[in-house]
Amino acid sequence: MPETTRLTPLAVMLLATLREGDMHPYELLRLLRDRRDDRLVPLQKGTIYHTIARLEREGLIAEVGVDRDGNRPERTTYRLLDAGRDAVDSWVRAELPQIDRPGDFRVALAEAHNLDRDDVVALLDRRRELLVASREVHRDGLSRARERAVPHQFMVEVERQAVLLDAELAWQDSLRHGLVTGTLPWGVDGLPSHHQRLHVSKETLA
């Protein structure tokens, strides 16, 4: 993949889903919608077809066949290439430690299972350092504002962010504990069979 190319979150999710097997764009769209991944990225048919075409041009996926079902239009099936697999892993490694792009972080977290357990722990540890630093900035700002008798109404957003940072750190520490102790199944060993995985639904997460 060219160094100047940056994957969109949708592209990452499409590539990651193709790890499960060869699929055509409509099948990818249906599967992502069934899993309610529209919580993370917009799932528009035209955008998905456009993204698939771009991924093929960039050598991240390849056409492996065309089929027709009755009177329906032909459907082209695509396969994930090694370059596409590497691109997903690189993107997740870049975004998982970040705290300033929450949308990208959610996608990176959703696809973090593609990385080794130890890699995820190390990346989350880097993210924790940023979260702690941000929390201290918010706490210091609140303390100075109170000393200056800044009206409370001007501080409610900062207070909310401080509370959210506390919650984020508590959640991340819990996740890290599961990864380090092995109580959280991870990677290939934590997955059901290919057939079962392909039909996992996230409707309960809506």
Side-chain angles (χ1 to χ4, degrees):
M1 182 177 62
E3 292 184 1
T4 56
T5 299
R6 173 170 170 77
L7 294 177
T8 64
L10 174 60
V12 171
M13 299 199 72
L14 291 172
L15 290 171
T17 305
L18 283 172
R19 286 179 184 257
E20 303 172 27
D22 303 344
M23 296 182 222
H24 52 72
Y26 178 79
E27 186 177 6
L28 285 164
L29 173 60
R30 180 187 57 78
L31 188 57
L32 291 172
R33 282 179 173 170
D34 285 348
R35 295 175 177 177
R36 299 307 304 271
D37 283 326
D38 52 353
R39 296 173 305 109
L40 304 177
V41 294
L43 296 176
Q44 303 296 329
K45 183 177 178 181
T47 305
I48 286 180
Y49 277 83
H50 174 78
T51 302
I52 288 291
R54 182 170 65 85
L55 294 174
E56 184 183 19
R57 288 195 305 269
E58 294 172 354
L60 304 182
I61 62 176
E63 179 182 325
V64 293
V66 178
D67 61 72
R68 181 189 293 275
D69 184 7
N71 293 326
R72 293 179 178 177
E74 291 182 344
R75 291 178 175 173
T76 303
T77 300
Y78 294 92
R79 174 171 299 163
L80 180 67
L81 300 178
D82 288 344
R85 189 182 306 272
D86 293 343
V88 171
D89 292 350
S90 295
W91 191 92
V92 173
R93 286 192 176 93
E95 295 301 328
L96 198 59
Q98 305 303 322
I99 66 171
D100 57 347
R101 294 186 289 273
D104 287 3
F105 171 74
R106 291 182 68 194
V107 174
L109 185 64
E111 301 303 338
H113 58 85
N114 293 304
L115 303 182
D116 291 339
R117 182 188 300 266
D118 291 344
D119 288 345
V120 174
V121 171
L123 293 167
L124 290 178
D125 284 350
R126 285 166 48 192
R127 184 174 190 266
R128 191 182 197 283
E129 293 176 0
L130 296 176
L131 288 171
V132 170
S134 180
R135 181 177 64 176
E136 293 307 309
V137 167
H138 280 77
R139 286 180 174 178
D140 290 346
L142 285 169
S143 178
R144 289 195 301 270
R146 290 175 183 131
E147 291 173 357
R148 293 160 48 200
V150 174
H152 190 186
Q153 61 184 304
F154 299 138
M155 302 309 300
V156 291
E157 189 281 327
V158 182
E159 287 182 336
R160 173 183 179 273
Q161 188 60 26
V163 171
L164 291 177
L165 286 166
D166 283 336
E168 184 79 4
L169 280 162
W171 164 81
Q172 184 165 304
D173 287 346
S174 176
L175 173 61
R176 187 186 193 281
H177 177 77
L179 289 166
V180 171
T181 61
T183 56
L184 174 62
W186 199 255
V188 176
D189 294 338
L191 291 176
S193 68
H194 172 78
H195 177 76
Q196 291 171 316
R197 170 62 178 158
L198 203 56
H199 292 84
V200 168
S201 174
K202 295 183 180 176
E203 291 182 0
T204 57
L205 302 180

